[in-house]
Amino acid sequence: MKLFGFKVPMMTSLLFWALVWEVVGRMDVIFLIPPMSAIVSAGFELVATNSWQNASLVTLRSFVVGMALAIGVGVPLGIAMGRFKIVDNIFGLWVNMFVSAPLSALVPVLMILFGLGETTVVVTVFLFAVWIIVLDARAGVMQVPPSLIEMGRCYGASSITIFSKIILLSALPEILAGIRIGLIRGVKGVVIGQILVSIIGYGELFELYSRSFDMERFWALTIILFAAAMLLSAAVELFEKRIEYYAGAR
Amino acid sequence: MANPMPARAAEQSGTATSDAIVEVRDICKRYGDIEALRGINLEFERGKLTTLLGPSGCGKTTLLKIIAGLVPATSGQIRINGKVVTGPGPERAFVFQDFALMPWATVLRNVSFGLELKGVPQAERHRIAKHYISEVGLSGFEEKYPHELSGGMRQRVGIARAFSVNADVLLLDEPFSAVDEQNRRKFQEDLLQLVEKERKTFLFVTHSIEEAVYVSDRIVLLSPRPGRVSQIIEPNIDRSAAPDVIRRDKGYLDVVEEIWQGLRQYAE
Ligand SMILES: Nc1ncnc2c1ncn2[C@@H]1O[C@H](COP(=O)(O)OP(=O)(O)OP(=O)(O)O)[C@@H](O)[C@H]1O
Ligand SMILES: [Mg+2]
């Protein structure tokens, strides 16, 4: 970023907005916006509490289980759709419908189906994340150059070898991109699921803080969540970069 | 110096003559409504370089892939060393127009991939691969990735891979189409040296008449769709002469002109 010809690091803009927030908070215009400094100190207190640690554990567990299911189902399904016309015909419509559907509206139905507990949150995470993983895995498999497969056949590779040594590796960049977007959607899923169920994890905390107008903690929790989502995305991106030497070169 | 011969395709079927390593018998190919090839009969002699030449879309790639066993023929037979084949086999190797290199693998891994698929132990296959990498002039690039190489260098990797598996027949589909003109000539000269050294049978597809005449022992002209053999020409170029001398040789230029006349009727 450049400002008046000077190089400004990206963090500066973040600091700038934090400062604006601080000033607005100090002016005491609306109770919704407490000063940033108060939020930060509330955040430090928060992470030391038992309730936050328990909530984080529950949240993490729902997220990990939901994501594992989404990846475990999404990647194979996407690959199958990319390889076999029948599978594509059976699932294509549904996947395309769900990938852009407002899934939050489904959560109340899930609550009826799976009860007011962790299961519903896990299913929500799964539903938020799985579709984009399917679509990207499918796209990855479909863009494998036909000549690369012919090359494998020409040099005597079996179908299984062609699949494992050529198709899978060729599709890997797209599969990983899908997982990265899926992870971010999964974070949304876990938060929305918990808020709607509202008696577990961060949902319970959010419910508690907003009902008691504890805005400092409310914002502290929100910021922690944002930071976690961004860190997660950055971590996958770093991993993607490491294999980008070929993804970028295609 | 040049001694062009007219085609006698019909006569060539039936008795297997001389030392044909690849025999193409009554090959027809349809893609749905499109008739790509009709009644192709050809024989390819061991140790010779034959070029398939013809207008775009006449079925050169199709024929080459049928011989490679990558595309099934609608009817007809392919025989390699006298045996009917229906799929790919270790006696044939293909060089692809778009190189077909694995972008995630180094030059060394790409070149040794054919051997890897055959289950050759790593040390052994790397030794063989390194030999052919230097043979095609890529020594020092073993650990590079395809995207770090120019188009011409990438195709050299594809050629080294085909040589590594020690196939008798090399099928090359427009291998130099992505190479610029200066490098192309160098390539043609290198190819001739490899032909000389490796004593393999080459089937070569190109769009360039000059290239065909320069490198080939025999040129098969195909007619537009449906592809049929329209003429077979043997340039008989004396390759002991220097490349520049050959390219200015009267015999060479005459054959180029003759092929051009033969193909001209198909150009609108
Ligand atoms: N998979 C396919 N499905 C349908 N038609 C095809 C297929 N492959 C080739 N064809 C058709 O068959 C004909 C011959 O194709 P082929 O690629 O063999 O020609 P070619 O001589 O190699 O052409 P070029 O010089 O442009 O490479 C073309 O008309 C092409 O459109
Ligand atoms: Mg072609």
Side-chain angles (χ1 to χ4, degrees):
Chain A
M1 202 168 64
K2 275 197 163 184
L3 206 62
F4 308 121
F6 292 105
K7 258 208 155 137
V8 196
M10 284 304 279
M11 284 304 273
T12 321
S13 101
L14 220 59
L15 282 175
F16 172 75
W17 287 113
L19 213 68
V20 171
W21 186 312
E22 180 73 23
V23 171
V24 174
R26 293 260 170 122
M27 290 193 303
D28 226 358
V29 264
I30 24 177
F31 81 96
L32 266 177
I33 305 180
M36 189 47 100
S37 52
I39 295 174
V40 172
S41 67
F44 280 111
E45 276 167 39
L46 183 64
V47 295
T49 61
N50 238 335
S51 61
W52 181 82
Q53 285 163 4
N54 284 338
S56 298
L57 218 63
V58 172
T59 307
L60 202 63
R61 192 167 55 204
S62 306
F63 178 73
V64 169
V65 174
M67 278 314 298
L69 283 174
I71 294 170
V73 172
V75 173
L77 179 61
I79 289 172
M81 283 172 69
R83 292 296 293 161
F84 308 109
K85 196 99 198 86
I86 323 165
V87 186
D88 200 28
N89 287 340
I90 296 173
F91 292 100
L93 184 72
W94 295 102
V95 174
N96 277 300
M97 203 166 80
F98 275 113
V99 79
S100 51
L103 290 166
S104 322
L106 273 182
V107 179
V109 182
L110 297 179
M111 288 199 277
I112 298 169
L113 282 175
F114 298 102
L116 289 172
E118 248 188 282
T119 320
T120 300
V121 180
V122 168
V123 175
T124 310
V125 172
F126 174 81
L127 284 180
F128 267 68
V130 74
W131 312 110
I132 190 68
I133 296 177
V134 171
L135 278 186
D136 274 17
R138 173 180 178 273
V141 166
M142 290 183 85
Q143 61 76 42
V144 180
S147 69
L148 220 49
I149 294 170
E150 282 182 336
M151 184 276 291
R153 285 176 53 210
C154 165
Y155 290 106
S158 65
S159 318
I160 297 169
T161 313
I162 288 179
F163 179 76
S164 63
K165 290 200 169 178
I166 294 175
I167 294 173
L168 219 50
L169 286 171
S170 191
L172 197 57
E174 275 84 2
I175 293 177
L176 283 179
I179 290 177
R180 181 167 53 86
I181 303 172
L183 281 170
I184 296 165
R185 291 190 172 197
V187 173
K188 264 197 235 169
V190 80
V191 174
I192 290 175
Q194 287 188 346
I195 287 179
L196 291 181
V197 173
S198 82
I199 54 161
I200 44 174
Y202 283 8
E204 192 189 2
L205 294 184
F206 272 125
E207 180 72 17
L208 188 72
Y209 300 153
S210 58
R211 207 147 9 101
S212 57
F213 303 114
D214 187 350
M215 280 305 134
E216 274 117 22
R217 288 193 162 185
F218 180 89
W219 282 115
L221 194 59
T222 309
I223 289 170
I224 289 172
L225 264 173
F226 272 41
M230 273 164 66
L231 272 178
L232 203 64
S233 163
V236 184
E237 217 165 324
L238 204 74
F239 183 60
E240 275 185 87
K241 280 245 173 62
R242 289 187 58 191
I243 60 155
E244 205 163 65
Y245 61 81
Y246 72 84
R250 277 202 302 244
Chain B
M1 198 158 157
N3 176 27
M5 287 192 343
R8 290 190 305 276
E11 276 177 37
Q12 290 175 355
S13 55
T15 53
T17 50
S18 67
D19 194 16
I21 183 166
V22 179
E23 295 164 68
V24 176
R25 296 266 171 266
D26 299 315
I27 287 289
C28 299
K29 177 67 186 176
R30 299 186 137 276
Y31 289 108
D33 284 343
I34 299 171
E35 187 179 11
L37 294 170
R38 180 189 289 174
I40 304 283
N41 280 289
L42 284 169
E43 280 173 9
F44 299 93
E45 236 177 281
R46 198 179 299 275
K48 290 277 157 66
L49 193 155
T50 308
T51 295
L52 301 175
L53 196 64
S56 198
C58 73
K60 304 181 291 293
T61 299
T62 302
L63 181 56
L64 210 62
K65 286 192 175 166
I66 289 174
I67 295 173
L70 292 171
V71 167
T74 307
S75 65
Q77 270 185 351
I78 301 293
R79 277 187 237 167
I80 310 288
N81 287 320
K83 275 204 245 42
V84 176
V85 293
T86 52
E91 65 296 323
R92 285 155 290 156
F94 205 96
V95 176
F96 294 84
Q97 186 172 3
D98 65 355
F99 322 131
L101 301 181
M102 301 177 294
W104 58 86
T106 60
V107 168
L108 185 62
R109 171 111 198 273
N110 266 296
V111 172
S112 58
F113 191 64
L115 297 166
E116 182 182 332
L117 292 174
K118 283 194 169 69
V120 177
Q122 177 161 332
E124 171 77 357
R125 65 175 191 253
H126 281 179
R127 189 185 58 74
I128 298 171
K130 276 179 183 152
H131 168 74
Y132 285 105
I133 288 171
S134 86
E135 197 95 307
V136 298
L138 282 181
S139 295
F141 290 92
E142 287 86 352
E143 297 306 321
K144 295 268 187 246
Y145 287 89
H147 71 89
E148 298 173 293
L149 308 179
S150 69
M153 290 159 92
R154 288 185 210 183
Q155 193 55 288
R156 287 170 189 266
V157 176
I159 290 172
R161 177 175 60 198
F163 275 121
S164 298
V165 293
N166 198 22
D168 304 324
V169 183
L170 278 95
L171 307 158
L172 302 94
D173 187 12
E174 297 192 44
F176 307 149
S177 62
V179 179
D180 60 53
E181 187 60 27
Q182 304 93 297
N183 281 308
R184 205 170 165 131
R185 291 201 168 187
K186 178 83 175 59
F187 240 125
Q188 294 161 4
E189 283 151 25
D190 290 354
L191 179 70
L192 282 178
Q193 276 183 7
L194 284 172
V195 173
E196 188 71 23
K197 200 167 168 191
E198 296 289 332
R199 304 245 152 251
K200 301 208 181 285
T201 310
F202 288 78
L203 270 67
F204 188 82
V205 169
T206 179
H207 267 132
S208 158
I209 299 175
E210 282 84 1
E211 182 167 283
V213 178
Y214 184 69
V215 301
S216 314
D217 298 307
R218 201 163 67 124
I219 299 169
V220 175
L221 293 185
L222 295 176
S223 67
R225 225 174 56 206
R228 286 145 296 166
V229 177
S230 81
Q231 207 180 343
I232 294 177
I233 291 167
E234 298 195 2
N236 285 328
I237 304 283
D238 173 16
R239 292 193 214 288
S240 60
D244 298 339
V245 177
I246 295 177
R247 289 187 208 273
R248 279 195 306 263
D249 178 75
K250 171 107 177 23
Y252 166 83
L253 294 171
D254 283 349
V255 182
V256 170
E257 185 56 27
E258 187 200 339
I259 295 175
W260 169 234
Q261 292 305 335
L263 287 176
R264 170 173 231 153
Q265 49 177 315
Y266 305 134
E268 59 273 282

